[in-house]
Amino acid sequence: MDRRSVLVVGGSSGIGLEIVKGLALQGDETYVGSRTTEKLAGVEKVHHLAFDVQELPDQLQGLPDVLNALVYCPGTIRLKPFQRLTREEFLEDWQINFLGAARTIQACLPHLKKAPAGASIVLFSTVAVACGMPFHASIAGAKGAVEGLTRSLAAELAPRIRVNAIAPSLTDTPLAADLLAGDEKRKAAAERHPLKRIGSAQEIARLALFLLSDDAAWISGQILHADGGMGTLKTFK
Ligand SMILES: NC(=O)c1ccc[n+]([C@@H]2O[C@H](COP(=O)([O-])OP(=O)(O)OC[C@H]3O[C@@H](n4cnc5c(N)ncnc54)[C@H](OP(=O)(O)O)[C@@H]3O)[C@@H](O)[C@H]2O)c1
């Protein structure tokens, strides 16, 4: 496969960082958009673009002329009773999860359209869209919009650009650290899943790498549920 240029927004931590490591192993030219860089220190030849997705400019400086793929990882886990959610909290979840993704895609589209063999976009949703869970109103609303964006853009940009999303359940990353603090919480979280464990950043990253690859060339407009069965299975006997 030819060397590709890929932008991973939110490639400095968790799932995004594992995607960046995988791309580096494949020899892809990798660009990371994020606010911090510390965890990228061990990854070779990564270009860093410093920006906050809550203050995105119309044009991203430092992108290559041709982009073969884009991954948008920034997300939030704000679990709160519905009546206590403030306007500011709804807006922050919306900006980071939905608007940041939409505006990043707008800024990248001229570059993605130049990819000779077509391009691929991967977004992130959550299991809490397909499966109602208490206290998830704000994040489920914002990620539900991401799923709508995924399907709309997959239709609008076909056949040249594929757009898919991954909807994980609880995955062991810094974002989920509070929910996984201590053995008891980890055990309870694993137990809630039909497959009896939480996800790892590496396995979610491998799914993203698959969606970016030519092996997924006939897949677009899909929400892939990597969730230990949480979103669809009932395992009581
Ligand atoms: N982990 C889970 O349990 C879980 C479950 C369901 C869905 N998801 C989804 O999976 C995706 C990846 O999550 P993760 O667990 O890997 O998260 P993570 O470890 O917190 O990483 C998030 C990445 O996004 C970047 N980011 C966050 N806010 C940003 C901002 N305002 N501007 C620029 N960059 C920003 C962070 O970089 P900087 O801090 O350097 O800016 C970091 O690289 C998210 O969309 C999340 O909603 C995760």
Side-chain angles (χ1 to χ4, degrees), residues 9-16 33-37 39 51-54 72-77 96-97 124-127 139 143 167-176:
V9 179
S12 62
S13 173
I15 296 166
S34 64
R35 296 162 300 179
T36 68
T37 53
K39 293 183 199 152
F51 58 81
D52 185 328
V53 298
Q54 289 189 270
Y72 184 90
C73 299
T76 49
I77 302 183
I96 294 175
N97 290 282
F124 279 89
S125 179
T126 167
V127 65
I139 182 63
K143 291 295 201 187
S169 184
L170 195 55
T171 301
D172 197 357
T173 71
L175 184 66

Side-chain angles (χ1 to χ4, degrees), residues 3 7 10-11 33 52 87 90 93-94 116 132 146 152-153 169 172 193:
R3 195 161 193 243
L7 170 63
D52 185 328
R87 183 177 181 277
F90 277 120
D93 285 343
W94 175 255
V146 170
S152 294
L153 284 186
S169 184
D172 197 357
H193 289 79

Side-chain angles (χ1 to χ4, degrees), residues 43-155:
V43 194
E44 279 183 27
K45 293 185 190 154
V46 170
H47 310 271
H48 186 251
L49 317 183
F51 58 81
D52 185 328
V53 298
Q54 289 189 270
E55 293 158 16
L56 269 179
D58 290 336
Q59 286 182 339
L60 294 178
Q61 299 301 324
L63 282 182
D65 189 37
V66 177
L67 255 189
N68 301 89
L70 164 67
V71 185
Y72 184 90
C73 299
T76 49
I77 302 183
R78 188 193 310 278
L79 306 186
K80 226 175 152 179
F82 178 64
Q83 279 294 72
R84 299 226 309 262
L85 282 163
T86 65
R87 183 177 181 277
E88 287 67 33
E89 288 169 336
F90 277 120
L91 279 177
E92 190 180 73
D93 285 343
W94 175 255
Q95 278 186 343
I96 294 175
N97 290 282
F98 176 81
L99 201 56
R103 302 251 299 125
T104 300
I105 295 169
Q106 284 179 328
C108 290
L109 258 187
H111 306 266
L112 291 163
K113 283 182 174 169
K114 289 184 184 169
S120 172
I121 298 174
V122 173
L123 305 176
F124 279 89
S125 179
T126 167
V127 65
V129 173
C131 175
M133 295 179 179
F135 311 132
H136 283 67
S138 180
I139 182 63
K143 291 295 201 187
V146 170
E147 295 196 5
L149 179 71
T150 302
R151 294 193 192 94
S152 294
L153 284 186

Side-chain angles (χ1 to χ4, degrees), residues 8 10-26 30 32 39-40 43 71 73 124 171-174 200-209 212:
V8 183
S12 62
S13 173
I15 296 166
L17 181 59
E18 292 304 321
I19 296 170
V20 168
K21 289 180 187 167
L23 293 169
L25 275 180
Q26 289 174 190
T30 309
V32 170
K39 293 183 199 152
L40 287 167
V43 194
V71 185
C73 299
F124 279 89
T171 301
D172 197 357
T173 71
S200 76
Q202 292 85 348
E203 66 191 334
I204 306 293
R206 282 197 293 273
L207 188 51
L209 291 169
L212 296 178

